[in-house]
Amino acid sequence: MADLLTHVLVAYIFATALSWYVDSITPALVTVAMAGAILPDLNRLEFVLPATAVESTLSLPFSWSAFHTLGAAVVVSLLVAALVTPEYRLPVLGLFFLGALSHLFTDVFMYNPTGLSGSYLWPFSSHRFAVDGFYRSYDRWPLLLTALVATAVWRETRRRAAASRPGPSSPPR
Amino acid sequence: MLATAARVLVVLALLAGLFGLFVLDGANHSSIHSSPTFPADSSPDSPIVSAGPLEVTPPDHTLLRGPPIDPGYWDLVFMYAVSVVALCWTLARGVNRWRFDRQALAFEPREHPRVRPLAWIRTLLSRSTRSHPRATWRRD
């Protein structure tokens, strides 16, 4: 993972830029994409409730790392879509999945000493991408870069909103 | 009513599916953090006796192509601090933009956000300017 703020900003950038072309993508739905970007890092639940504790309690094999896969992105996107009112199910499904996918996609390019990415496509495929990687999870520059782009996207969104508002109405006679 | 019952069933089925993924991942040892390795009785220096796919097992002899990841104390502080900021930001946006409809038993976007952050900041700033002691002193 890059730091979580970078992932959330990437999802914000994608979803907000999409909202320029798709009117139905409101700021509420941009938030859904940001939440989707958090999903893969829920594997950090390992720090709160270790998988070994779950295994010993349930007598079943268990691993939180499944959160960081395409399979979990699909299942949780469907789950989140089922929790909203019917007219928002499809956009919530799409944007939550977009957020989770943006996280997995950016993690493919993270530096790994093995030269291979994680098997993020699991359980559909165990393929690992051979990528040298050009950032580490604790590097500062990805956050600076995404923060700059996100600021530019935010300003452009405000400019577009101001431009689309009707001008001052003529005073009543 | 029937639609709500069906939706509850779907949610339960999806939760079961998610739990199944955790169990399957645990069973297959297909943890994304595990690395391709040499078998325990070989090493990178030993001659290759058979050509085939590298075995992926829990890391005993991890194949490394580059230096290991070794974050310092402040690197970890930075990483987790900004991650907490991301969680708080997203949560605040969610609460501000979404509401739970008790009748429909579902979440839906608010018609108007509870707080408009920029307007709220402007109000705070204007209040603090009005109540600033120096401003009072100037008037006196």
Side-chain angles (χ1 to χ4, degrees), chain B residues 69-107:
Chain B
I69 298 169
D70 185 23
Y73 173 77
W74 288 110
D75 293 328
L76 292 176
V77 168
F78 161 77
M79 197 169 69
Y80 285 109
V82 296
S83 296
V84 169
V85 170
L87 278 174
C88 293
W89 180 33
T90 309
L91 192 65
R93 274 186 69 116
V95 172
N96 196 29
R97 297 279 182 182
W98 288 83
R99 62 183 286 276
F100 187 71
D101 184 344
R102 287 182 186 172
Q103 289 193 329
L105 288 177
F107 290 93

Side-chain angles (χ1 to χ4, degrees), chain A residues 21-40:
Chain A
Y21 306 103
V22 184
D23 288 340
S24 59
I25 299 180
T26 58
L29 289 169
V30 172
T31 308
V32 170
M34 292 162 65
I38 290 175
L39 174 77

Side-chain angles (χ1 to χ4, degrees), chain A residues 1-6 8-9 12 26-32 34-35 38 41-44 47 54-55 58 60-69 71-76 78-80 82-89 92 111-120 122-123 126 128 130-132 136-140 143 154 158, chain B residues 3 7-8 10-36 54 56 62-95 97-101 104-110 118 122:
Chain A
M1 57 174 266
D3 66 81
L4 195 52
L5 188 52
T6 300
V8 166
L9 284 170
Y12 172 86
T26 58
L29 289 169
V30 172
T31 308
V32 170
M34 292 162 65
I38 290 175
D41 278 353
L42 289 186
N43 61 0
R44 295 301 191 276
F47 297 152
V54 181
E55 283 179 340
L58 302 177
L60 281 172
F62 193 88
S63 169
W64 289 115
S65 59
F67 263 128
H68 211 291
T69 62
V74 171
V75 173
V76 179
L78 289 167
L79 189 59
V80 172
L83 296 177
V84 299
T85 46
E87 65 267 35
Y88 290 103
R89 275 182 199 150
V92 163
Y111 170 76
N112 191 319
T114 61
L116 294 172
S117 72
S119 48
Y120 300 138
W122 187 86
S126 295
R128 294 165 186 267
V131 179
D132 279 340
R136 288 171 168 80
S137 53
Y138 48 85
D139 282 346
R140 273 64 158 176
L143 177 58
W154 175 71
R158 282 178 62 84
Chain B
R7 202 156 58 88
V8 169
V10 168
V11 167
L12 289 176
L14 288 168
L15 282 173
L18 187 62
F19 182 76
L21 282 179
F22 297 142
V23 172
L24 195 62
D25 191 34
N28 287 351
H29 297 287
S30 62
S31 161
I32 56 155
H33 298 297
S34 66
S35 305
L54 285 171
V56 178
T62 306
L63 272 173
L64 295 181
R65 289 186 55 203
I69 298 169
D70 185 23
Y73 173 77
W74 288 110
D75 293 328
L76 292 176
V77 168
F78 161 77
M79 197 169 69
Y80 285 109
V82 296
S83 296
V84 169
V85 170
L87 278 174
C88 293
W89 180 33
T90 309
L91 192 65
R93 274 186 69 116
V95 172
R97 297 279 182 182
W98 288 83
R99 62 183 286 276
F100 187 71
D101 184 344
L105 288 177
F107 290 93
E108 66 177 8
R110 292 179 189 278
L118 278 184
R122 279 195 198 111

